[in-house]
Amino acid sequence: MMKIGLFTEFSYPGKSEHQLYAEVLEQIAAADELGYDFFSITESYGKDLFSCSPFPLGLYVAAAQRARRIRFLTGIISMPIHHPAMLASQVAAADLLTEGRNHARPRPRHPWVIGRMNVDAATSSARFEEGIRMLVEIFKGDYIENSTASSGRSATSN
C-alpha cells in the first residue's frame, strides 16, 4: 500500500524560530486532517536559509498533541553525533508520547551536520556501526523501558 507524506527542510527566511515552529505544527495538523500518512524532517543544526531542525523528536511530541493519526519520520538522525543511550532514551520517550507514531532513522552521516558538529568524516562510519550495535543492545535489554518491547513496533528502522 502506497503511503503519502510531506517533507520539509524546515527553512525560515525572514521568520522567527517561534513563528516557524507554529507554522510547521499547523502544517502537520492540516496534513493529519487531510489524510496524509506521515510528516518528515531531517535533523540539522545551526541557523541558515536552508534548514534548522535540531530536535525533530520534540517537534513530533508537540505535534502529536494536535494530530491524532499521522505518523512522524525523522529522515536522518546522524548517529555519529549522538550517544546511543541518550538517543535510545529520547526515541523511546518520543514513541510513548506519540503513541507509537514516531519512526527514527539513524544514518551514518549527513555531511552537512557532521561537518557542523566537528565530527571527522573518516570516523563517522565506524561511529555509526558502533552506535547502531549499542542501540540494538539497548532496545533488546532492560537498559531503558520502551513501548516497543510490548507492542512489537520498531522505534528505529533503516
Side-chain angles (χ1 to χ4, degrees):
M1 176 183 202
M2 185 184 313
K3 303 286 184 186
I4 305 292
L6 299 175
F7 171 79
T8 184
E9 284 288 350
F10 223 72
S11 302
Y12 55 96
K15 298 178 184 178
S16 70
E17 290 86 353
H18 186 275
Q19 183 181 7
L20 174 68
Y21 275 97
E23 288 178 8
V24 170
L25 287 169
E26 287 176 20
Q27 290 170 9
I28 294 170
D32 185 60
E33 288 178 27
L34 291 169
Y36 283 87
D37 295 302
F38 67 90
F39 186 88
S40 178
I41 59 175
T42 297
E43 173 188 64
S44 61
Y45 296 89
K47 182 177 180 179
D48 59 32
L49 295 178
F50 181 63
S51 180
C52 180
S53 50
F55 191 41
L57 299 174
L59 173 70
Y60 295 155
V61 167
Q65 306 307 305
R66 298 176 174 196
R68 296 289 171 211
R69 187 199 54 77
I70 200 166
R71 302 183 76 75
F72 308 107
L73 171 66
T74 304
I76 298 174
I77 293 179
S78 294
M79 186 71 226
I81 67 170
H82 293 281
H83 187 286
M86 292 174 70
L87 181 59
S89 296
Q90 292 170 354
V91 167
D95 192 56
L96 287 168
L97 294 169
T98 63
E99 298 176 342
R101 294 181 286 149
N102 176 59
H103 296 277
R105 296 180 67 195
R107 294 289 187 231
R109 66 182 166 271
H110 185 302
W112 179 76
V113 170
I114 293 295
R116 236 183 212 181
M117 302 304 284
N118 292 321
V119 172
D120 182 3
T123 65
S124 67
S125 291
R127 290 174 72 162
F128 168 75
E129 289 173 17
E130 177 67 8
I132 292 297
R133 185 192 64 73
M134 291 176 70
L135 280 177
V136 168
E137 291 302 314
I138 290 167
F139 279 113
K140 283 178 24 183
D142 294 327
Y143 186 80
I144 60 171
E145 181 178 339
N146 67 68
S147 64
T148 61
S150 61
S151 68
R153 289 188 310 268
S154 173
T156 59
S157 62
N158 288 333

